[in-house]
Amino acid sequence: MDPRNQDEEVAMRLDGSIGIVTGGAQGIGAATAQRLAREGATVIVTDVLDDKGHALATSLALEGHGVSYRHLDVTDEAAWEALVSEVRAEHGRLSFVVNNAGIGTLEGVEDETVEGWQRTTDINQKGVFLGMKHGGRAIRESGGGAIVNLSSIFGAVGGFGGSIAYHASKGAVRLMTKSAAIAWAKQGVRVNSVHPGFIDTPMIEQVKDSPVGEVLTASTPMGRLGRPEEIAAAIAFLVSDDASYMTGSEVYVDGGWTAQ
Ligand code: NAD
C-alpha cells in the first residue's frame, strides 16, 4: 500500500493550541510544523538554520497557517527561558513542545571522540532536558498539554553496533521521557517519545545512496525508508487529545524494524 497522501484533509484536533517545534527548519521537524499547523495549532518553528526556518514559516503563513520562526539553539538554557517567556507574553500560554532537534553520528565505541560524544549529548540529550524543563513548566502553568520527544529505534536497541554517542543520547531521551511523564502525570502534562526507523530526511542524506543506505532499506521489513510526514502524523496524534490517556509511552514508527 502506498504511504498516505499528505494532501488529504486532516482533522482540526489542535485548534487553539500553541507550541514550539525544535529543529523545525527541515526534515521531520518541518513536516511536524506543517502537520500541527494544518490541524489548527499556532506553531513556533525553531532551529539554528535561520534562512531555511524563515522560508518554511513564511510559506506556511502564506498558506494561512499560524506559523512563525525563532532562532533557538537547544543547548542554550538562557535562550530557552527567553523564548518560553516571549511565547507566554505574546500568546498567554503554551500547549505543547516537540523536542525534535538532533544530530546523527556514525562513530562506534572505538572511534568516537570525547568531543564528538559531548556535542551529541549536548544537542540530543541536554537539548531535550532543557525543552522539558522550561517548556514543561510553562505547559503545567498554562493548565496542561503535551511534550513529544524524538528518540529513535537506536534509543531502544543496539542497531548495527555503531553510533555509540547517538545510541546513548537517544536511550537517555527514552528514559527522561518516562521520568518527566511520571513527575507531571497528575498535573496535566503528558510526555511521550517517538522512535522513528530510517526516515528520508537530510540526516540520512550522507548515507542514502551508499551501501549503508541499501542496508537501511534492506533491513527494514517494509522495504522502504519512511517519510517525514509519517512521523509527523504520530507526533500530531500524541500532541492531540486523542492521546489523552497516553503518557510515558514510546511509539515506534519504523516500518517494522524493531518487531524483528
Ligand atoms: P535533520 O538533520 O533533517 O533535522 C534536524 C534539525 O535539527 C536540523 O534542522 C538542524 O539544524 C537542527 N538542529 C541541529 N542542532 C541543533 C541545535 N543545537 N539547536 C537547534 N536545532 C538544531 O534530521 P531529521 O531526520 O529530521 O531528525 C529529526 C529528529 O528525529 C532527530 O532528533 C533525529 O535524531 C530523529 N530521528 C531521525 C531519524 C531518521 O532516520 N531521519 C531516525 C530516528 C530518529
Side-chain angles (χ1 to χ4, degrees), residues 3 9 45 49 53 67-68 101 104 137 144 164 195 217 247:
E9 289 271 310
V45 174
L49 299 178
V67 180
S68 58
R137 179 184 294 143
I164 185 89
H195 300 250
T217 307
T247 199

Side-chain angles (χ1 to χ4, degrees), residues 191-251:
V191 193
N192 294 287
S193 56
V194 169
H195 300 250
F198 305 117
I199 311 304
D200 195 357
T201 71
M203 182 175 278
I204 67 160
E205 201 71 39
Q206 49 177 336
V207 295
K208 193 176 152 189
D209 296 322
S210 73
V212 177
E214 280 166 32
V215 170
L216 303 187
T217 307
S219 66
T220 300
M222 288 180 79
R224 66 171 175 87
L225 300 179
R227 294 186 1 249
E229 292 77 15
E230 293 175 305
I231 308 303
I235 294 170
F237 163 69
L238 290 170
V239 170
S240 82
D241 287 343
D242 282 347
S244 55
Y245 198 51
M246 286 181 75
T247 199
S249 294
E250 48 197 273
V251 176

Side-chain angles (χ1 to χ4, degrees), residues 136 139-141 144-147 180-181 184-191 247:
I139 294 170
R140 177 176 59 72
E141 290 174 357
I147 296 175
W184 285 316
K186 290 193 172 64
Q187 295 172 295
V189 186
R190 295 182 299 99
V191 193
T247 199

Side-chain angles (χ1 to χ4, degrees), residues 45-131:
V45 174
T46 65
D47 208 297
V48 290
L49 299 178
D50 296 336
D51 290 348
K52 269 194 163 181
H54 275 300
L56 175 78
T58 304
S59 80
L60 290 174
L62 284 172
E63 288 171 23
H65 299 305
V67 180
S68 58
Y69 176 77
R70 297 283 184 286
H71 179 93
L72 175 73
D73 178 338
V74 293
T75 67
D76 182 344
E77 182 164 27
W80 265 110
E81 288 176 299
L83 176 71
V84 170
S85 305
E86 184 195 327
V87 173
R88 292 184 78 180
E90 202 173 311
H91 300 274
R93 67 197 189 288
L94 185 67
S95 324
F96 63 85
V97 174
V98 180
N99 286 307
N100 164 79
I103 56 168
T105 59
L106 295 173
E107 290 76 13
V109 61
E110 292 193 18
D111 299 325
E112 184 57 279
T113 61
V114 170
E115 293 73 26
W117 172 277
Q118 194 58 55
R119 180 170 141 74
T120 305
T121 306
D122 278 351
I123 296 173
N124 292 6
Q125 182 174 338
K126 179 178 152 192
V128 172
F129 160 63
L130 292 175

Side-chain angles (χ1 to χ4, degrees), residues 9-17 35-41 64-65 240 242:
E9 289 271 310
V10 294
M12 293 291 281
R13 294 181 294 189
L14 304 175
D15 225 1
S17 68
R35 175 67 187 245
L36 300 180
R38 284 176 66 209
E39 293 207 22
H65 299 305
S240 82
D242 282 347

